[in-house]
Amino acid sequence: MSLIEQIGLRALRRFDPETAHGLALKALNAGLGPKGGPVTSDRLRTQVAGLDLPNPVGLAAGFDKNAQALAPLARCGFGFLEVGAATPLPQIGNPRPRLYRLTEDRAAINRFGFNNQGMDVIAKRLARRPAGHVVGLNLGANKTSPDRAADFGKVLARCGAHVDFATINISSPNTESLRDLQGRDALHALLTQVIHASHDASFAGPVFLKIAPDLSEDEIRDILDVLADFPALAGIIATNTTLDRDGVRSTHKGQTGGLSGQPLFEKSTRVVALLSSLTDLPIIGVGGVGSAEQAYAKIRAGASAVQLYTALVYGGISLAAEIATGLDALLARDGFASVAEAVGTGREDWL
């Protein structure tokens, strides 16, 4: 991290977290971020569900909810970007304050509630996305929608022409009853609608399902049983934020919402390993990735790629390039010629 970035991070911490996040996006759009592009090498280049990635380190959904900073983010070293979550109608989300820094835990708690400017605004920005970069969209549902399952399909139909992949987000803890869609019957009905919408929109990209880290093994097996009926479902993103507070020290730990960052690393990685032992679907590992070593651990647990978000609060936007560069070195150290060769080689350590 450069001295300028260190000073910038210290300055941002003088503001409340949500204001600081907005200022960070403005700084990126003002040209204050990195000036390069995706970090890549023969070892780092990989393919996930048909997506050709220069490296397997992606930006998780939530950082750029409204696709406002795609061009500068594409210069920050990431191998792919995911924006959103987008809902059919604009949504203000839950009342502020709704984002908390847990500095001593290198974590955050949020209860945003899918705040975003709506699919029409986001689609127009995605239509102007920078060429040559892999960009996906996290699909959401409006809180007051009478048919949340239909909302996911509406967003995909509106925005699908402008993205390379889509993620069905039924695992946010901040929209009441949303996680109920992870149940067997509800999930089957939801996927039927979304896959139908993808066909109607002639969407050819992969569709991923994002799941919670708080599921039991039986619940995960139920999800995989449902996915077997949908060969068009290309992979799983594991995981979203957690409601668990085990080991959290911050005074903010009692705040309602989803916990992300370092305390989630082990829990989410165990879910990755379990999924990897039960399915051949590609997995994107999310949760607590803050270093090259942690990205490598997720890959060896069974993830074909990883995503990060909360770690950027503490490590800065240059962290993506640092992790990708470090991951390349770790693969070389252990004799792997590619990311794909390393996937799942350390699974048993987490089971």
Side-chain angles (χ1 to χ4, degrees):
M1 186 193 306
S2 69
L3 178 60
I4 291 176
E5 190 172 5
Q6 292 178 43
I7 293 170
L9 282 177
R10 284 199 293 269
L12 287 174
R13 291 191 185 114
R14 298 171 66 90
F15 297 90
D16 73 88
E18 190 164 352
T19 297
H21 184 78
L23 290 171
L25 288 172
K26 289 181 179 179
L28 284 170
N29 279 321
L32 299 181
K35 301 293 191 262
V39 174
T40 194
S41 71
D42 288 342
R43 271 184 298 270
L44 290 176
R45 277 189 288 273
T46 192
Q47 189 175 89
V48 180
L51 299 170
D52 291 318
L53 307 179
N55 73 63
V57 181
L59 176 68
F63 184 89
D64 190 5
K65 288 177 177 289
N66 296 301
Q68 293 173 288
L70 286 172
L73 284 169
R75 296 191 289 267
C76 291
F78 294 104
F80 61 107
L81 308 172
E82 184 176 349
V83 300
T87 56
L89 300 175
Q91 188 162 269
I92 62 172
N94 294 319
R96 297 176 67 164
R98 54 193 179 183
L99 177 63
Y100 300 86
R101 295 187 197 98
L102 284 66
T103 303
E104 56 266 60
D105 300 293
R106 296 184 75 84
I109 290 174
N110 89 81
R111 52 173 179 267
F112 283 120
F114 280 173
N115 59 308
N116 73 104
Q117 295 172 354
M119 65 182 183
D120 289 332
V121 170
I122 292 170
K124 290 175 183 176
R125 292 186 181 133
L126 286 169
R128 303 190 300 269
R129 51 175 278 199
H133 297 273
V134 175
V135 177
L137 177 64
N138 193 280
L139 313 175
N142 284 118
K143 182 178 181 179
T144 58
S145 173
D147 188 351
R148 289 181 180 171
D151 279 10
F152 294 94
K154 289 178 183 177
V155 178
L156 182 58
R158 178 67 180 89
C159 301
H162 310 303
V163 295
D164 301 298
F165 69 93
T167 301
I168 304 169
N169 185 357
I170 55 172
S171 50
S172 169
N174 300 317
T175 296
E176 185 179 355
S177 302
L178 184 72
R179 286 190 172 191
D180 292 347
L181 292 174
Q182 294 175 126
R184 182 189 290 268
D185 292 341
L187 180 59
H188 198 283
L190 166 64
L191 292 178
T192 299
Q193 291 204 45
V194 174
I195 298 304
H196 182 73
S198 71
H199 291 158
D200 286 350
S202 299
F203 180 69
V207 178
F208 295 89
L209 180 70
K210 190 168 187 175
I211 67 171
D214 304 317
L215 297 167
S216 68
E217 181 173 341
D218 286 344
E219 289 170 326
I220 289 173
R221 288 179 181 274
D222 283 346
I223 287 173
L224 293 176
D225 285 345
V226 173
L227 297 190
D229 293 335
F230 296 91
L233 202 291
I236 301 171
I237 298 182
T239 64
N240 212 316
T241 57
T242 182
L243 296 172
D244 191 358
R245 299 293 188 265
D246 283 354
V248 178
R249 297 168 294 166
S250 170
T251 56
H252 291 310
K253 67 181 180 181
Q255 291 292 337
T256 302
L259 173 73
S260 60
Q262 287 302 299
L264 182 55
F265 176 75
E266 290 192 7
K267 186 169 193 172
S268 62
T269 306
R270 289 192 189 98
V271 173
V272 167
L274 177 60
L275 285 167
S276 178
S277 72
L278 297 173
T279 181
D280 292 328
L281 287 170
I283 301 159
I284 296 177
V286 196
V289 176
S291 68
E293 289 76 16
Q294 288 177 316
Y296 189 43
K298 280 244 199 286
I299 288 168
R300 295 192 68 238
S304 295
V306 300
Q307 291 177 315
L308 57 145
Y309 172 4
T310 302
L312 302 176
V313 174
Y314 303 100
I317 197 67
S318 64
L319 184 62
E322 293 172 10
I323 289 177
T325 300
L327 178 59
D328 192 31
L330 290 169
L331 291 166
R333 181 197 69 185
D334 292 347
F336 293 115
S338 67
V339 174
E341 281 189 8
V343 173
T345 56
R347 181 189 304 123
E348 297 303 320
D349 296 340
W350 295 93
L351 294 176

